[in-house]
Amino acid sequence: MDRRYYTPREVADLLRISPATVMKMIHDRRLFAVHVSERIYRIPIAAVARLQVGEEASYSPVVDEAGELSPVGERVAGSDRQPVPA
């Protein structure tokens, strides 16, 4: 199985910053993250790669299992939601 997401702790370790800084970046919308539950975030590997090369965060709406859009910033439950193609 291919890994597609990092935890905030893993991103902090990769970037050599604190987990609190990662969370601040997520809340400031400088780092895209999927809000899985009340206290759980997952950061796509591509978002970390963009950050490492200095690109800005990319916020795309996501589609749930029924094909309905969920606004960015809303809680995204389930692991099979995919970004909407541009």
Side-chain angles (χ1 to χ4, degrees), residues 14-81:
L14 282 170
L15 300 177
R16 296 182 182 199
I17 58 178
S18 74
T21 300
V22 172
M23 293 306 297
K24 181 166 177 26
M25 293 171 74
I26 291 169
H27 292 294
D28 290 347
R29 299 178 66 96
R30 292 185 290 146
L31 177 61
F32 177 79
V34 177
H35 193 186
V36 178
S37 70
E38 184 178 333
R39 297 179 65 182
I40 298 175
Y41 290 86
R42 292 296 177 258
I43 300 105
I45 289 174
V48 177
R50 281 189 213 107
L51 183 66
Q52 288 175 317
V53 296
E55 291 182 21
E56 293 196 15
S58 173
Y59 282 83
S60 299
V62 292
V63 178
D64 66 14
E65 301 83 30
E68 296 182 18
L69 290 176
S70 295
V72 173
E74 297 260 331
R75 184 182 332 171
V76 178
S79 61
D80 53 346
R81 293 184 183 202

